[in-house]
């Protein structure tokens, strides 16, 4: 019995008919990473469940986030005149990030290798990917920090939202076209991030203080690459793929309202979280940037997972995520000064969001496991009644 019935009967029926359809045209992925993953998967025991591989990779990202939170909780360690993160921590971060990326690429191959591919596996993979966005963005931030040569916490907040919307674009495409077009930026960014961690361990964070050319700093390159990739590659390709489906009459939703409905909750989440940032009496983002990013990233993952369920089950996306209702109250209490201790309010709300998202995830996994008569983390078949 699931903790709560988050997946409707119509959606369960849709999962029964689901067929995986994806396009990966990234040269790095096709010619380098896939051959590497095909090599790696041969060393895994055939008794190892793909979802366990997925979860292990995700936990490497969480470990990186927690490790950097210990050494650089407020993102000041990389600034001049501060105690820097030890070099061995950057080595570990680089290794863990690459392991997470590798396991994320290997899990699907293990599923096909063991003939255990299910819609639950894809949902589990992409659901954790949606939550992973905040962990790798916040960890990368520690390289530059918020010092004089770093990135401001408000700037990073908006960069985080660019990454989050870039992620949801792929699933919005699939919601409208039935095909998952894997973004080019993901593979390039993961390899680059892993290398930058290792380089930082060797040359030190002081290297990033120096300008690349004239007054153009590495932090400016970091910001430019994320924004440029999103607005010149990811967004145009997503719109083009949906437009092609529209012109070929294969678009799954006929009206503009239905086609763009999945963006309603993410946009409302962005508005609510930005209102709190802009009108915060105590400037909460400056006080607690890491906690605030975690709250926003987790709430976004919850909204995105519900979209993924809808696009995989070929059901209509719900206009409003219930999580936004209590968040509206929390933001109202914060910006009006009704609750004087904003930091405590943020901590409590972040904890509530994390627990709500974990509860949602566990419930959905348990529902689908029961429906398909399988175990989430084992290749053994569940006993049928």
């Amino acid at each position: 019995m699931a903790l709560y019935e988050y997946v409707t009967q119509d959606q369960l029926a849709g999962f029964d008919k689901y067929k995986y359809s994806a396009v990966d045209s990234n040269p790095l992925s096709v010619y380098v990473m896939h051959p590497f993953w095909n090599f790696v998967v041969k060393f895994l025991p055939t008794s190892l469940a793909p979802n366990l591989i997925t979860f292990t990779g995700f936990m490497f990202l969480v470990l990186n986030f927690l490790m950097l939170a210990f050494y650089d909780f407020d993102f000041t360690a990389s600034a001049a005149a501060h105690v820097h993160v030890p070099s061995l921590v950057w080595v570990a971060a680089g290794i863990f990030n690459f392991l997470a990326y590798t396991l994320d690429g290997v899990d699907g191959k293990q599923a096909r290798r063991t003939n255990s591919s299910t819609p639950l596996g894809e949902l589990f993979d992409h659901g954790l990917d949606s939550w992973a966005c905040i962990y790798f963005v916040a960890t990368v931030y520690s390289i530059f920090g918020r010092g004089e040569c770093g990135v401001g916490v408000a700037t990073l907040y908006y960069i985080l939202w660019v990454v989050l919307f870039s992620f949801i674009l792929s699933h919005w495409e699939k919601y409208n076209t039935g095909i998952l077009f894997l973004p080019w930026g993901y593979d390039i960014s993961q390899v680059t991030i892993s290398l930058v961690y290792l380089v930082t361990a060797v040359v030190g964070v002081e290297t990033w203080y120096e300008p690349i050319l004239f007054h153009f700093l590495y932090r400016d390159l970091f910001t430019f690459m994320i924004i440029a990739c999103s607005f010149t590659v990811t967004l145009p390709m997503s719109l083009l793929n949906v437009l092609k489906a529209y012109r070929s009459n294969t678009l799954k939703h006929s009206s503009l309202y239905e086609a763009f409905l999945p963006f309603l909750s993410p946009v409302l989440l962005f508005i609510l979280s930005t209102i709190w940032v802009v009108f915060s009496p105590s400037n909460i983002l400056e006080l607690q940037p890491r906690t605030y990013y975690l709250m926003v990233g987790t709430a976004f993952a919850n909204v995105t997972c519900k979209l993924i369920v809808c696009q995989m089950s070929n059901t209509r996306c719900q206009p409003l995520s219930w999580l936004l209702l209590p968040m509206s109250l929390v933001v109202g209490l914060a910006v009006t000064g009704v609750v004087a201790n904003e930091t405590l309010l943020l901590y409590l709300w972040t904890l509530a969001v994390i627990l709500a998202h974990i509860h949602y995830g566990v419930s959905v996994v348990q529902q689908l496991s029961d429906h398909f008569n399988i175990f989430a983390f084992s290749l053994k078949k569940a006993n049928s009644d």
Side-chain angles (χ1 to χ4, degrees):
M1 177 67 71
L3 298 176
Y4 184 82
E5 299 295 323
Y6 278 107
V7 182
T8 67
Q9 291 302 312
D10 286 343
Q11 288 173 332
L12 289 175
F15 275 112
D16 288 334
K17 303 172 185 175
Y18 178 74
K19 299 292 184 183
Y20 179 65
S21 179
V23 174
D24 188 357
S25 57
N26 181 3
L28 173 61
S29 176
V30 173
Y31 298 110
V32 179
M33 299 315 303
H34 276 290
F36 173 68
W37 296 331
N38 288 330
F39 171 77
V40 170
V41 77
K42 295 175 183 177
F43 295 92
L44 300 179
T46 54
S47 60
L48 185 60
N51 287 342
L52 193 57
I53 298 173
T54 304
F55 186 70
T56 303
F58 173 74
M59 290 309 297
F60 274 122
L61 293 178
V62 175
L63 179 59
N64 263 358
F65 178 84
L66 295 176
M67 183 172 62
L68 268 296
F70 178 80
Y71 287 100
D72 184 27
F73 184 78
D74 57 359
F75 302 108
T76 57
S78 290
H82 283 73
V83 177
H84 296 330
V85 173
S87 295
L88 284 178
V89 173
W90 291 123
V91 172
I95 294 172
F96 292 161
N97 192 82
F98 190 75
L99 283 173
Y101 172 51
T102 299
L103 294 177
D104 189 40
V106 163
D107 54 6
K109 297 184 181 297
Q110 176 75 347
R112 289 183 286 275
R113 179 176 176 235
T114 56
N115 196 30
S116 59
S117 298
T118 65
L120 172 59
E122 182 184 341
L123 177 61
F124 190 73
D125 186 359
H126 294 158
L128 288 181
D129 285 345
S130 69
W131 203 5
C133 291
I134 174 56
Y135 294 113
F136 75 73
V137 170
T139 305
V140 169
Y141 187 26
S142 285
I143 294 175
F144 304 97
R146 58 199 285 197
E148 184 178 345
C149 297
V151 180
V153 291
T155 300
L156 199 280
Y157 167 76
Y158 293 109
I159 289 175
L160 171 62
W161 270 108
V162 170
V163 172
L164 295 179
F165 273 109
S166 295
F167 178 87
I168 205 172
L169 272 173
S170 296
H171 294 284
W172 171 72
E173 279 180 85
K174 191 176 181 185
Y175 178 76
N176 283 289
T177 67
I179 302 172
L180 181 65
F181 295 91
L182 300 174
W184 282 27
Y186 174 71
D187 296 282
I188 296 171
S189 65
Q190 290 306 304
V191 173
T192 302
I193 288 170
S194 300
L195 290 174
V196 168
Y197 286 145
L198 297 177
V199 170
T200 302
V202 176
V203 302
V205 295
E206 296 87 355
T207 300
W208 312 123
Y209 297 166
E210 301 299 323
I212 304 172
L213 184 66
F214 301 113
H215 299 291
F216 191 74
L217 301 175
Y218 283 99
R219 60 104 187 268
D220 301 318
L221 179 63
F222 164 72
T223 303
F224 173 79
M225 287 181 64
I226 292 176
I227 296 175
C229 182
S230 297
F231 287 97
T232 64
V233 179
T234 306
L235 179 60
M237 289 182 69
S238 294
L239 293 175
L240 180 61
N241 289 329
V242 172
L243 181 60
K244 286 180 179 178
Y246 172 76
R247 287 178 173 174
S248 62
N249 291 320
T250 58
L251 198 65
K252 298 172 72 68
H253 304 280
S254 55
S255 71
L256 283 177
Y257 173 76
E258 291 295 334
F260 284 90
L261 189 60
F263 285 127
L264 180 57
S265 286
V267 168
L268 289 176
L269 175 61
F270 169 74
I271 292 172
L272 282 172
S273 59
T274 304
I275 287 174
W276 193 351
V277 168
V278 173
F279 297 102
S280 168
S282 63
N283 203 348
I284 192 65
L285 193 60
E286 289 288 340
L287 287 176
Q288 295 290 334
R290 185 177 292 273
T291 307
Y292 200 87
Y293 299 149
L294 178 60
M295 180 273 291
V296 169
T298 305
F300 171 86
N302 188 259
V303 170
T304 304
C305 283
K306 292 169 183 175
L307 168 61
I308 296 173
V309 168
C310 291
Q311 55 100 335
M312 288 185 64
S313 60
N314 197 26
T315 53
R316 183 176 184 266
C317 180
Q318 292 302 306
L320 189 66
S321 172
W322 70 266
L323 195 65
L324 299 177
L325 298 177
M327 184 170 177
S328 300
L329 176 61
V330 170
V331 172
L333 292 173
V335 300
T336 58
V338 172
V339 176
N341 192 336
E342 274 191 273
T343 296
L344 178 60
L345 180 63
L346 175 62
Y347 280 168
L348 292 175
W349 175 239
T350 302
L351 178 62
V353 172
I354 292 173
L355 291 177
H357 186 51
I358 291 175
H359 175 81
Y360 171 79
V362 170
S363 297
V364 170
V365 168
Q366 191 170 341
Q367 268 190 271
L368 290 178
S369 296
D370 292 343
H371 180 74
F372 289 110
N373 196 34
I374 58 176
F375 292 111
F377 297 108
S378 173
L379 294 179
K380 296 179 181 178
K381 289 287 184 181
N383 293 326
S384 56
D385 295 332

